[in-house]
Amino acid sequence: MAMHNPPHPGAFIREVYLEPFEITGRQLSAKLGVAPSTLNRVLNGSSGISSEMALRLSKALGRTPESWLAMQGNFDLWQARQSVNLNAVQKIEFRAA
């Protein structure tokens, strides 16, 4: 079942971890071992979750690295479905050999 407008992982981090527990982005970036600007790009949605960031987030916040990457993948796929025109794409019919 397709998710409707899934959140960007950065919004999820802000809403589930930072705001309720009054943690700043700078504090989290220090715990992650990344520059504050790097984390800020994720939090504001201008960068996605990389495999490396997924590993860091998993250790610092919990959840599996796979779940962080799946969240990013769901967000990216939903965004693509909103803008990619597939009208010119044709299906290839494969015959059994």
Side-chain angles (χ1 to χ4, degrees):
M1 184 164 123
M3 183 182 279
H4 178 70
N5 196 9
H8 186 279
F12 180 83
I13 293 167
R14 278 193 326 272
E15 294 169 13
V16 173
Y17 297 100
L18 299 187
E19 292 168 2
F21 297 101
E22 298 180 350
I23 300 169
T24 67
R26 195 168 286 280
Q27 289 170 321
L28 179 56
S29 70
K31 297 290 186 185
L32 293 171
V34 300
S37 59
T38 299
L39 180 62
N40 189 52
R41 286 191 296 275
V42 171
L43 295 177
N44 70 28
S46 63
S47 287
I49 301 292
S50 65
S51 298
E52 179 182 327
M53 183 62 80
L55 290 168
R56 292 171 185 273
L57 289 168
S58 178
K59 184 168 183 181
L61 299 177
R63 303 175 59 95
T64 65
E66 293 84 1
S67 71
W68 289 109
L69 292 173
M71 187 182 303
Q72 184 66 54
N74 288 335
F75 175 81
D76 292 343
L77 184 56
W78 192 88
Q79 293 293 318
R81 283 185 171 143
Q82 306 314 302
S83 60
V84 175
N85 183 340
L86 299 175
N87 291 338
V89 178
Q90 298 177 4
K91 182 172 178 148
I92 299 172
E93 299 295 333
F94 295 97
R95 294 181 284 140

